[in-house]
């Protein structure tokens, strides 16, 4: 038995080291987020929470009526069932409170189960990868997809594809379908007639980390401007963004 435990532990450690070596740091992030991820969620959502004191008061009133009514009914039922047993005693308040708390626990567990099922179905139905490698290769691949998609949009524009039909054309093309499902392609025509495209991730977290890219007909075919998340937001709002770099 001890030998089996050592073999299993060694296999687990070797597997963990292998995943970390190929850049899959999620094997450490997932347990940590499952245990403590709710803290960062509360920190981000807490300031925007608004308490509806009227609804809270109604909930407390209903809970109080349910608790008192349940206790009175259960005390009567207990007395009827144990009328011939004097040693049975009376129905205790803490028993009623325990049953009420158990009901609340079941209600919360049901809501959590429905939420877990919904999110698992959403993750399984999505085409985007569930995890992202932390090695530069994966970031370079993401950047290449953004730049390639931006150039593909320019190519279609130069070929005569109407501007409004370019995103749909990219989705229908097998070569650009995969990145088009994960990236937005937004166009803008400047007052001087210059058409430019902005490509950025649909995932807000990826947008925050990777930003986006911009290209236009006035640039060289291999010239694409990299923008950070703030510059992308300014570009979408109509203001001229600050260019991060031009690879």
């Amino acid at each position: 038995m001890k030998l089996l435990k050592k073999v299993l532990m060694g296999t687990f450690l070797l597997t963990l080291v292998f995943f970390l070596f190929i850049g899959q740091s999620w094997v450490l992030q997932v347990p940590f987020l499952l245990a403590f991820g709710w803290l960062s969620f509360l920190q981000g959502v807490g300031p925007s929470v608004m308490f509806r004191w009227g609804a809270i008061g109604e909930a407390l009133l209903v809970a109080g009526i349910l608790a008192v009514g349940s206790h009175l009914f259960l005390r009567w039922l207990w007395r009827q069932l144990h009328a011939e047993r004097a040693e049975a005693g009376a129905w205790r308040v803490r028993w009623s409170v325990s049953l009420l708390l158990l009901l609340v626990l079941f209600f919360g567990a049901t809501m959590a189960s429905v939420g877990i099922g919904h999110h698992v179905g959403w993750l399984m139905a999505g085409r985007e990868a569930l995890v992202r490698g932390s090695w530069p290769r994966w970031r370079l691949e993401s950047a290449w997809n953004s730049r390639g998609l931006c150039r593909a949009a320019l190519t279609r524009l130069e070929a005569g594809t109407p501007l409004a039909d370019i995103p749909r054309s990219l989705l229908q093309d097998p070569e650009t379908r995969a990145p088009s499902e994960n990236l937005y392609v937004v166009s803008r025509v400047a007052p001087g007639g210059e058409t430019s495209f902005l490509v950025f991730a649909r995932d807000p977290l990826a947008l925050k980390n990777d930003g986006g890219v911009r290209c236009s007909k006035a640039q060289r075919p291999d010239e694409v401007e990299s923008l950070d998340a703030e510059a992308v937001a300014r570009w979408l709002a109509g203001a001229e963004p600050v260019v991060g770099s031009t690879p």
Side-chain angles (χ1 to χ4, degrees), residues 157 188-197 214-219:
L157 181 64
R188 177 196 290 177
V189 179
E194 177 187 352
T195 302
S196 59
F197 292 94
R214 182 179 64 171
C215 58
S216 65
K217 295 180 64 175
Q219 298 170 330

Side-chain angles (χ1 to χ4, degrees), residues 24 41 45 66 74 105 109 131 133 137 158 183 188 214 247:
Q24 300 297 318
F41 174 80
V45 175
L66 178 63
L74 292 173
L105 178 62
V131 296
R137 171 192 168 189
E158 294 173 353
L183 300 168
R188 177 196 290 177
R214 182 179 64 171

Side-chain angles (χ1 to χ4, degrees), residues 128 131-133 135-151 178-180 182-183 199-203 205-213 224 226:
E128 189 173 356
V131 296
R132 301 177 62 194
W135 274 20
R137 171 192 168 189
W138 279 270
R139 291 190 176 274
L140 290 175
E141 181 180 356
S142 175
W144 182 89
N145 288 336
S146 300
R147 298 187 180 102
L149 198 61
C150 203
R151 297 191 188 103
S180 296
N182 299 323
L183 300 168
V199 179
F200 58 96
R202 297 177 183 267
D203 181 8
L205 183 58
L207 171 61
K208 180 180 179 180
N209 294 332
D210 303 334
V213 299
V224 177
S226 297

